Structures are given as structure tokens and as C-alpha cells.
Amino acid sequence: MIIRETCVAIWDALHAAVMAQPHKEQWKEIADVFQQTCQFPNCARAIDGKHIRIKKPVRSGSQYYNYKKYFSFILFAMCDANYSFRYIDVGSYGSRSDSAVFAHSDFGKMLQNKALDLPEHTALPGTTSPAMPFVFVGDEAFALGENLMRPYSSRGLSLARRVFNYRLTRARRVVECAFGILANKWRFLHTPIHLKLETAISAVKAACVLHNFVRARDGYNFEDSLTHSLHSHRPSVVRGHRQGAAVREQFTAYFMSPHGALPWQLEAI
């Protein structure tokens, strides 16, 4: 009871201060940092989902039993380029896909309803057209959309598409690093959590806001991000949208242009 009450109090005290919903100017600031550090323009956040290992919840059947054959719930997170969590959704069944968790989250619904106060479409650096949307970057588990970029399928890739996948990975890796810092700082995440489900969820939420608090206070230590014990979801087959495909093609062309290419990108792929 003490653990749960303490974790709830930490979340209530900190989440509004360290995980507030950005306004237009803050979205632009987040995107500027992604451009400076990851060289991916108009990127608002990196997204991913991780399994949090738990003991089997009472009377839960197979809902929390994941494809790796253990019980878990999902920590779905969105991170900025400073490795801070800007949004989390904690507690979905371990058997669900990242795409389903995202679609049913409050954030996913706000994105679908265009209620996020994202900035107006902006041309990519060095160009005047076309005006491009601000996007979130994820892995193959997510559905392609106007505001959600995922890699191309790995089969039969052209040079330009391989470059796009490399550039997207550079931006998406920040959420992997954030999970690494989280697990290595709050080490109960390295082993199954032996708490009641509600208490385990509260503990993870408290760890996430404390992560942001400590990150802002102490800065970032690269070595902390190299390993973590949180397991990714298995990629699922999800359909994208034509509008999203068109946006991805525009990014692909930009990354091969004189304005958007990186000197080392061909060697890196």
C-alpha cells in the first residue's frame, strides 16, 4: 500500500510539470533539436512500445501473455531528442500490438482528430516547397500516416529507400536510448515486477516522470543507454495510407538531395 500510494503521489506531483502537452512553439523547438542532433527535419517525437515483465495477474487469462511467452503489460512512450518522455501510456495487455496501443491511446485519438496543436506544414530546410507536415517516427509496428513515418519494408530496397530507413533510424533510436536510461536508473525494470498489476503500473509511471526530472537536473550520460532489459514488440503487418506514403516519398527524395543529404549516409548503409 505504501509503495502504491508513494508512486501515485510522485506521478500526481510531477507529470504536469515534466510531461505537459506542448503548444505550437514547443513542437517547433522539439523538431529543431531533432534536426540538430539526428538530422531528421520536421520530427516531433520518436515513438515505441516496450514490454514490462510482470507476474501473471489474477484471473487475467492470456491477455497479458505476449509472443515472447511471458506475462507483461505495455509501456508505450513518445520521446524528444533529449531522451525525455513527452507522453506515456502504461498498462495495455502484453498481447496487443504497438499499433493497436497507439490507436487506442489518448494521444493516438488526438492525432487522428487533429487536436494536437501541431504547427502548420513547413518546407524542409533549404527548400521552399512542398510544405511538409510535422511527423512522429516509429518502427515497422506502426501504420504509415501523414504524421507518422515508419521504415520501408526491407525487401528489394532502392538506394534512396535504404537511405530513408537509415535516417529514420537515427531519429527513432532516441526512444530506445530513453528506455535504456530508464531501465538502468530504475533497476526494478530489469526483472519481473512482483507487485499487484495496479501497483506495478503506478511504479512504472512514477519511474517515467522521475526519469524526466532527473534527466533535466543531471543531464544525459551516453553509457547509460547502451543496454536495457525492456523488450520490443514483434513487428506486425499494418496498412498505411496513401497520404502517408506520399509524405514518406517526399522525405526520401529530400534525403538524397543536395539540401538534405548527409556526407556519410551512403557509407553508413
Side-chain angles (χ1 to χ4, degrees), residues 10 85 182 186 188-189 202-212:
I10 291 170
F85 298 112
L182 178 74
W186 314 108
F188 76 100
L189 294 170
S202 294
V204 172
K205 291 169 67 176
C208 288
V209 291
L210 286 172
H211 164 91
N212 283 10

Side-chain angles (χ1 to χ4, degrees), residues 8-264:
V8 169
I10 291 170
W11 170 260
D12 290 343
L14 289 180
H15 85 274
V18 302
M19 213 176 284
Q21 178 66 27
H23 53 68
K24 274 189 172 65
E25 291 305 314
Q26 289 174 323
W27 283 118
K28 291 179 181 178
E29 292 172 4
I30 293 170
D32 287 343
V33 178
F34 267 107
Q35 169 64 7
Q36 293 165 13
T37 60
C38 305
Q39 291 78 50
F40 199 108
N42 287 26
C43 181
R45 290 176 185 171
I47 66 177
D48 200 6
K50 294 295 179 182
H51 290 285
I52 304 297
R53 193 164 186 159
I54 55 173
K55 66 177 183 179
K56 183 182 183 298
V58 177
R59 293 187 294 275
S60 63
S62 61
Q63 291 173 321
Y64 291 94
Y65 195 65
N66 65 43
Y67 76 98
K68 289 181 176 289
K69 304 193 183 305
Y70 61 80
F71 292 93
S72 66
F73 59 77
I74 304 303
L75 165 59
F76 173 76
M78 296 188 165
C79 291
D80 61 25
N82 289 320
Y83 310 94
S84 294
F85 298 112
R86 292 300 189 120
Y87 173 83
I88 60 172
D89 183 282
V90 187
S92 293
Y93 300 138
S95 58
R96 299 184 78 177
S97 67
D98 281 348
S99 187
V101 173
F102 174 69
H104 289 88
S105 69
D106 292 339
F107 193 94
K109 293 174 183 176
M110 291 177 69
L111 179 62
Q112 179 69 25
N113 297 326
K114 300 188 181 300
L116 288 177
D117 196 30
L118 290 172
E120 293 77 14
H121 290 18
T122 304
L124 300 179
T127 68
T128 57
S129 64
M132 297 287 286
F134 284 76
V135 298
F136 304 90
V137 295
D139 61 17
E140 298 89 344
F142 296 95
L144 183 67
E146 180 184 11
N147 299 106
L148 182 54
M149 294 291 99
R150 56 167 281 172
Y152 289 101
S153 172
S154 59
R155 291 177 296 179
L157 288 179
S158 65
L159 178 64
R161 291 187 173 189
R162 288 165 58 199
V163 168
F164 173 86
N165 283 0
Y166 165 69
R167 297 288 291 271
L168 182 139
T169 300
R170 282 176 55 83
R172 192 187 63 79
R173 67 181 173 82
V174 302
V175 67
E176 296 283 347
C177 291
F179 284 133
I181 299 167
L182 178 74
N184 288 338
K185 178 72 73 173
W186 314 108
R187 303 192 66 87
F188 76 100
L189 294 170
H190 280 296
T191 58
I193 302 176
H194 291 279
L195 296 169
K196 290 183 178 179
L197 179 62
E198 296 80 4
T199 306
I201 291 172
S202 294
V204 172
K205 291 169 67 176
C208 288
V209 291
L210 286 172
H211 164 91
N212 283 10
F213 179 82
V214 173
R215 171 72 187 92
R217 186 193 66 182
D218 292 349
Y220 170 63
N221 179 7
F222 177 75
E223 286 75 14
D224 286 342
S225 71
L226 296 181
T227 60
H228 62 80
S229 61
L230 308 183
H231 298 289
S232 298
H233 268 147
R234 178 175 52 187
S236 56
V237 178
V238 287
R239 292 185 178 272
H241 300 286
R242 290 183 179 178
Q243 198 167 8
V247 172
R248 184 167 64 177
E249 288 294 337
Q250 291 287 351
F251 274 110
T252 301
Y254 175 76
F255 292 149
M256 295 298 290
S257 72
H259 297 295
L262 297 177
W264 66 84

